[in-house]
Amino acid sequence: MTRAANGNIVRINYTGKLADGTVFDTSEAKGREPLGFRLGTKQVLPKLEAEIVGMKVGEKKTVPVDANNAYGPHQEKAVERIERSEIPDDVDLTVGNNLQATDPDGEIVPLRVIAADETTVTLDANHPLAGHDLSFDIELVEIVEEAG
């Protein structure tokens, strides 16, 4: 039976969980298809990709990924408290909202509102899963295209 190899396009079902078992994402949510990607192109976490290499269609496994090999540690320097007056009035600053800003180099920076009061807003540029150890329950559903 064929095993997944770098260069293959594969499709997997997955459920991502935090260390306490809380599910943060799953391909099996209503209306979603298995996740497809080419192995060896860094489209998914490297640890997850490495564990898929060698799997057979129908094979399942659980892959633990520590924070440093997932989205990195939570960086306090990526959290900034700013004056509301520095943000346009039409921007929704509800806690939990995702925003975008442009850095001095013209790069888009995703931000999350983590606190707000009448005069200030605290924005977090960390990935929402930064600082968390994760695990993924995966199943190789299909090898769509073998490496050429």
Side-chain angles (χ1 to χ4, degrees):
M1 181 174 265
T2 304
R3 293 182 180 270
N6 278 326
N8 290 163
I9 294 175
V10 298
R11 291 172 24 106
I12 64 168
N13 278 327
Y14 69 92
T15 299
K17 299 176 188 173
L18 301 176
D20 67 3
T22 302
V23 173
F24 64 84
D25 192 18
T26 180
S27 64
E28 299 186 66
K30 186 176 180 181
R32 288 181 70 185
E33 296 288 322
L35 175 65
F37 58 95
R38 185 176 299 276
L39 284 170
T41 59
K42 300 179 182 174
Q43 292 177 294
V44 298
L45 296 173
K47 171 77 171 159
L48 190 59
E49 191 173 61
E51 290 290 330
I52 294 168
V53 170
M55 288 179 69
K56 297 180 283 188
V57 171
E59 189 175 344
K60 297 178 181 183
K61 65 169 66 171
T62 298
V63 179
V65 183
D66 66 84
N68 288 333
N69 290 307
Y71 297 97
H74 185 272
Q75 302 284 332
E76 282 305 315
K77 67 182 179 182
V79 177
E80 187 174 354
R81 187 173 171 180
I82 62 173
E83 296 296 318
R84 274 187 179 260
S85 60
E86 295 181 42
I87 301 173
D89 292 336
D90 63 340
V91 175
D92 183 354
L93 298 176
T94 303
V95 172
N97 274 6
N98 293 313
L99 308 174
Q100 290 184 342
T102 306
D103 72 11
D105 297 327
E107 297 289 321
I108 299 294
V109 178
L111 302 166
R112 196 171 66 259
V113 179
I114 60 170
D117 60 30
E118 263 103 64
T119 59
T120 63
V121 177
T122 304
L123 302 172
D124 187 349
N126 284 288
H127 186 282
L129 295 172
H132 292 279
D133 292 334
L134 310 175
S135 71
F136 294 87
D137 296 330
I138 60 173
E139 174 188 13
L140 181 59
V141 174
E142 181 180 15
I143 299 173
V144 179
E145 177 186 308
E146 295 198 27

